[in-house]
Amino acid sequence: MPFRPSASVLFGICLALGCSREPRGTAKPIPPSDPSPSYSAEHIVPTGSLKAAALAPGRLATIYGEHLGPAQPCLGAADPSTREKPNPLRPNQAAIEMQLFPTRLCDSEVQVGGVAAGLLYVAAGQINFRVPQSLPTNGSTEVRVLHNARPGPSVSVPLTTDAPNRTPEQVAESMWSALQRVSWQQRYRPATAGCAAVPAQPTAPRGGLNGYAYHCAASASGVTTESLYYPVNPADPEVLLLRADIRPLTTYPEWSAEVEQHLTRHLTEAFGPGSTPDMIYEVGAYRPQPGRSWRTGRLTYFLNSNLGHLAPTGIRTGVVLIAVRDEILAQRPATEPAAPSFAHARELEQVLSQWYSAAAPQQHPRPEAARDAEDHRTRTALLRLLRHAEVGEAKRAAALVAADDLAVRLGSLLVTRTYQKGAENLGLAASAAEIRTELAKLGVRYGEIGHYSGDLEYDRSLLERAWTEYPDTIWGQRAFLMLQRLGCATNQFSCDGPNCFLAVIEQGGKFLERYPTSPLRTQQIHILAVARETWWSLGHARPGDISAEGANVTSATAEQARLRAIHLYQELLHAVPDSPEARAAEMAIPRLKLKLDTGARDFFCSSC
């Protein structure tokens, strides 16, 4: 039985083409005065391309323009019982390239070299069509759109063979075979042909699926296999092959969608039906098309359409098969810095149940009446906390930390948002001036609307008060750690321009000397280790790295910071082996011992 693309394959192709998901409809009559179709050769592109290129027999293509069809889009259905023979000069075509689509849809036609093209989608601004098989594979041809018998311009478009030398099924078999040949946990060797060091990305500095150290790419039989090596084992670091990405060299959607279907069959036969993976953006597993995943032994396989996914070698498209060892998947939840205990507002709620609720209001509530209600509720709770005079330093410090949280929330509620022609306009609520004056008397001062936050910004002075007025209390000390985390985002922490990591190291060290038995000792040691790691990474930034602009470091001081960071991380491993901080240390230590640039930028603000 000949292979037929499934509904999911057709849907994936439609997404790649940018088709509307609206149902097929009947076009409304167009008055005779309506203009003729308008477009140019630069707006006729092959499927999956953003710029004009040569067309080939059977290929799917898109025309962008105006007045190409009706306002309500129409979808063209292929004849399920008939297939056209492929052009002999381009024999290895996907099934959809050989299907017959209607040549007239919603009173629109596309003539390619005088031959009516099959239409998959017609709308006022876009037509997706299939190039006729009868066209030659060299020279050029004329393309013209007609809508309601009104012709558009005749434009010249170049032709090409663009013929893959293998069928989609053969490429799927090659991808499957490449997967079987992966030498898992093989040590990285610098002399391996085709391998090159890849610098760690600042967005994923310590681990997770993007935290590889070296990357190799080799192509054969129409397939590229990318081998990714990761540092592991804090005691005796080594760099092992723990992830493999396999993808076809030919990536246009109507072809790779068929490859994906063949691979799905292979994986299902080998490992069962599979499941929908969690949101893992590093492998393209994100909505609305996360693909499928299969698990066996210590490996997890991900298969998806990979539309515009950011990969080690840059932006790529087309089906991708990714296999990952458990060691790397286990690192992913610990990629972010360990969350300190003060971040759990529920504890504050228990201490201050009469005045504080951990449940934050809906962000930017609409309509205006809802915003006013949340504004009043939050302001009332904030004023109660600021005027709270109950005896007891610990509870007073907690009240200031809780009030700080409410002040941040209120800064969002004091900004109004209106929308006009798709643009968001920000302004101050009518009550903002009065509230600012009232709160300023109590030490809470707001600035302007933040450029990035879109909220009325407040200087976090309440945290500073909690720390300076009640430093011997747990909530006063939590306020200090919060100020460290904020770094140069607030004026309350003494930063040297962007080099806040230096202030963190100095002041965090004094904190441990003053409070050696503090319950927050673990979190403070972790913060100091991360700050030292940032110092090390900044000392190895490449020339022109804008993420390191303004760094006050040298190679010599960076080396000292590396050794100190290792010592602090090892202290966490021994003192609190089951903590989130220790899990973060397990990822950082191998990289630091191997002198790899981790890309860390915590407590560094190049825009300060």
Side-chain angles (χ1 to χ4, degrees):
M1 178 180 295
F3 175 83
R4 298 185 190 279
S6 69
S8 62
V9 169
L10 297 178
F11 177 65
I13 294 168
C14 193
L15 283 183
L17 287 165
C19 306
S20 167
R21 294 181 62 182
E22 297 180 41
R24 193 186 322 170
T26 302
K28 296 180 180 179
I30 301 178
S33 59
D34 274 8
S36 299
S38 174
Y39 50 90
S40 66
E42 289 74 22
H43 297 120
I44 301 177
V45 302
T47 298
S49 176
L50 297 178
K51 59 182 180 179
L55 302 182
R59 280 297 310 265
L60 303 188
T62 299
I63 301 174
Y64 297 104
E66 296 179 341
H67 316 297
L68 306 179
Q72 182 177 352
C74 301
L75 298 179
D79 184 341
S81 61
T82 306
R83 280 175 46 161
E84 188 177 15
K85 289 184 178 180
N87 188 305
L89 298 177
R90 190 171 175 270
N92 296 321
Q93 297 186 20
I96 193 171
E97 296 176 293
M98 295 179 283
Q99 290 188 307
L100 293 174
F101 292 88
T103 56
R104 184 177 178 82
L105 187 63
C106 288
D107 295 318
S108 291
E109 299 177 49
V110 174
Q111 300 287 335
V112 183
V115 179
L119 304 179
L120 290 77
Y121 175 84
V122 170
Q126 176 181 342
I127 292 180
N128 297 334
F129 67 98
R130 197 205 66 167
V131 179
Q133 296 283 2
S134 59
L135 288 184
T137 57
N138 55 50
S140 62
T141 190
E142 299 295 312
V143 176
R144 169 172 282 181
V145 177
L146 298 94
H147 179 57
N148 274 354
R150 289 179 172 274
S154 181
V155 298
S156 178
V157 177
L159 296 171
T160 183
T161 302
D162 189 27
N165 57 12
R166 314 182 78 224
T167 67
E169 186 172 11
Q170 288 172 331
V171 171
E173 293 296 330
S174 294
M175 292 176 69
W176 184 252
S177 297
L179 178 64
Q180 314 311 311
R181 293 194 298 270
V182 175
S183 300
W184 294 108
Q185 295 183 290
Q186 179 186 54
R187 288 190 176 185
Y188 172 74
R189 295 178 176 83
T192 302
C195 291
V198 176
Q201 300 298 315
T203 53
R206 296 176 189 81
L209 301 184
N210 281 342
Y212 54 87
Y214 299 98
H215 165 252
C216 306
S219 299
S221 301
V223 167
T224 294
T225 300
E226 298 174 290
S227 302
L228 283 75
Y229 295 79
Y230 294 80
V232 293
N233 191 358
D236 185 16
E238 52 187 347
V239 183
L240 305 178
L241 196 162
L242 299 175
R243 170 181 170 183
D245 293 15
I246 303 169
R247 55 190 173 85
L249 291 175
T250 303
T251 60
Y252 60 89
E254 63 267 31
W255 194 83
S256 62
E258 195 168 321
V259 174
E260 183 177 346
Q261 190 165 15
H262 287 300
L263 286 171
T264 299
R265 175 174 53 81
H266 269 301
L267 289 159
T268 300
E269 290 174 354
F271 310 121
S275 59
T276 301
D278 294 332
M279 294 281 282
I280 304 179
Y281 70 92
E282 301 99 320
V283 298
Y286 46 80
R287 300 331 183 234
Q289 287 186 289
R292 302 289 290 172
S293 65
W294 292 260
R295 178 173 172 78
T296 177
R298 295 187 61 80
L299 281 168
T300 298
Y301 302 93
F302 300 91
L303 179 66
N304 57 63
S305 301
N306 195 28
L307 301 175
H309 172 54
L310 181 63
T313 51
I315 298 294
R316 62 187 183 187
T317 59
V319 60
V320 60
L321 173 60
I322 297 177
V324 186
R325 293 272 303 182
D326 282 354
E327 294 92 322
I328 300 306
L329 286 177
Q331 286 186 0
R332 193 170 185 271
T335 301
E336 296 298 323
S341 59
F342 61 72
H344 300 292
R346 291 296 176 189
E347 188 175 348
L348 273 177
E349 187 176 48
Q350 294 172 1
V351 175
L352 304 162
S353 56
Q354 290 179 274
W355 302 277
Y356 176 79
S357 171
Q362 175 189 354
Q363 191 172 21
H364 313 319
R366 297 170 66 188
E368 192 67 13
R371 190 202 60 77
D372 288 342
E374 290 289 3
D375 167 351
H376 178 75
R377 185 177 70 85
T378 305
R379 176 171 35 129
T380 300
L382 174 57
L383 290 172
R384 285 175 179 171
L385 284 170
L386 292 175
R387 292 165 178 163
H388 175 51
E390 184 171 338
V391 177
E393 289 191 351
K395 186 167 286 189
R396 185 62 189 145
L400 288 170
V401 174
D404 174 82
D405 177 55
L406 292 178
V408 173
R409 298 186 201 178
L410 189 58
S412 170
L413 295 168
L414 291 177
V415 175
T416 61
R417 288 165 168 80
T418 57
Y419 300 86
Q420 186 176 15
K421 295 182 179 181
E424 183 182 51
N425 300 309
L426 305 181
L428 292 181
S431 58
E434 177 187 349
I435 294 172
R436 276 174 141 178
T437 300
E438 182 179 21
L439 291 175
K441 296 175 182 177
L442 298 171
V444 178
R445 293 178 174 81
Y446 288 98
E448 302 302 320
I449 297 176
H451 177 71
Y452 296 105
S453 68
D455 298 336
L456 201 60
E457 296 195 336
Y458 133 76
D459 62 5
R460 312 304 293 266
S461 56
L462 295 175
L463 287 182
E464 176 73 9
R465 284 184 56 193
W467 162 239
T468 57
E469 294 176 17
Y470 308 104
D472 296 328
T473 68
I474 186 63
W475 285 105
Q477 293 175 16
R478 282 171 173 160
F480 173 73
L481 267 67
M482 291 175 75
L483 288 169
Q484 287 185 104
R485 293 278 182 190
L486 289 168
C488 61
T490 173
N491 296 327
Q492 303 299 327
F493 200 76
S494 301
C495 288
D496 172 21
N499 295 279
C500 282
F501 65 93
L502 297 174
V504 167
I505 291 170
E506 178 186 0
Q507 297 181 35
K510 292 179 179 178
F511 175 90
L512 290 179
E513 291 178 2
R514 183 176 177 182
Y515 304 105
T517 61
S518 170
L520 302 179
R521 179 179 176 82
T522 295
Q523 288 93 327
Q524 182 63 80
I525 290 175
H526 176 260
I527 288 174
L528 289 174
V530 170
R532 296 278 184 178
E533 186 184 343
T534 291
W535 193 338
W536 156 255
S537 179
L538 289 169
H540 290 77
R542 289 172 170 77
D545 183 351
I546 60 173
S547 73
E549 285 184 1
N552 184 19
V553 300
T554 65
S555 297
T557 59
E559 172 61 16
Q560 295 174 5
R562 181 185 71 89
L563 297 173
R564 183 58 180 163
I566 292 173
H567 175 79
L568 292 169
Y569 279 130
Q570 287 177 329
E571 182 177 345
L572 292 172
L573 281 180
H574 291 108
V576 283
D578 298 324
S579 67
E581 292 82 6
R583 288 193 291 273
E586 288 177 347
M587 290 186 286
I589 290 174
R591 287 167 167 75
L592 291 167
K593 283 187 174 181
L594 293 168
K595 296 188 176 182
L596 296 173
D597 182 0
T598 65
R601 293 294 183 271
D602 299 82
F603 313 115
F604 180 78
C605 178
S606 58
S607 62
C608 291

